[in-house]
Amino acid sequence: WSIILRFFYYVFLGCYIMGVAYNATGTVVRERQQRTLDALLLLPVERREILWAKWVASLTRGWPWLALLLADILLGTAVGVYHPLSALLLCLVPWPMVVFLASLGLLVSVTMQTVMRANLVLVLVMLPFFYISAGNVLFNGPAAYIPMVMFSTWGQWDQWAMASHHSHPFVIAWGLMILYV
């Protein structure tokens, strides 16, 4: 169960993150390309509020992936793959990466002139991001801090204790979270 649930955790998280980045990348540039941005800017709201609404919308469009992710965590907690504290942390620790990529996607969307160019820039930015994490998803890369909280109720406390006594990797992982924020 442990391998299967952890595999699907990363699959669901990866799909949600890619969807968030893709949705955020197309928000403003699509409005510009379809020539509806001028009408949107004539609304009696500040531009900051429009960007905020587009940023939040890019996060909420992927709710089915979040539901699958939550089901994976709840099932893993029920069968003992994840400790309850680990389940809580697995719900919280991906958010700095999600917020970072949603913001990056929105930045690309604001600065590019066409949807195709924005998507190309997103791919060029995301390729190194995922390449770094794909080879050693459990030890290095952008997702390095997630496995630090994947301890179970069935005797993996020793790994957690070892990680906290030798806190160098743990500090690096939390540093990455702060960097994303």
Side-chain angles (χ1 to χ4, degrees):
W1 279 101
S2 176
I3 293 171
I4 293 169
L5 288 173
R6 290 177 189 206
F7 170 77
F8 280 111
Y9 176 84
Y10 281 111
V11 168
F12 298 150
L13 182 62
C15 289
Y16 176 69
I17 287 174
M18 287 179 16
V20 165
Y22 177 75
N23 286 330
T25 301
T27 56
V28 176
V29 73
R30 191 174 297 115
E31 296 271 355
R32 183 182 298 125
Q33 195 169 355
Q34 293 175 349
R35 301 189 189 280
T36 57
L37 184 61
D38 293 333
L40 185 64
L41 293 175
L42 289 175
L43 291 174
V45 294
E46 290 186 29
R47 292 178 181 196
R48 179 178 298 155
E49 292 177 41
I50 294 171
L51 284 177
W52 174 255
K54 290 189 173 292
W55 186 79
V56 169
S58 70
L59 292 174
T60 57
R61 283 193 69 185
W63 71 265
W65 292 113
L66 285 179
L68 288 171
L69 196 61
L70 183 62
D72 178 82
I73 292 170
L74 290 174
L75 179 64
T77 305
V79 298
V81 171
Y82 305 129
H83 188 274
L85 176 63
S86 180
L88 176 68
L89 291 173
L90 285 173
C91 290
L92 297 177
V93 294
W95 284 104
M97 189 174 8
V98 171
V99 167
F100 169 74
L101 290 173
S103 301
L104 182 67
L106 195 60
L107 175 69
V108 169
S109 182
V110 168
T111 57
M112 295 294 123
Q113 296 297 321
T114 64
V115 174
M116 183 186 292
R117 187 177 290 168
N119 288 335
L120 180 63
V121 168
L122 176 71
V123 167
L124 292 175
V125 168
M126 295 291 280
L127 274 176
F129 185 83
F130 283 112
Y131 176 75
I132 291 169
S133 64
N136 297 328
V137 74
L138 299 178
F139 303 109
N140 297 321
Y145 59 92
I146 295 173
M148 300 295 276
V149 299
M150 279 192 177
F151 51 90
S152 73
T153 55
W154 303 108
Q156 288 182 342
W157 279 97
D158 56 344
Q159 292 175 0
W160 174 257
M162 190 175 92
S164 31
H165 290 300
H166 299 85
S167 61
H168 182 66
F170 193 67
V171 169
I172 291 173
W174 285 98
L176 278 172
M177 284 181 61
I178 293 169
L179 180 68
Y180 285 131
V181 170

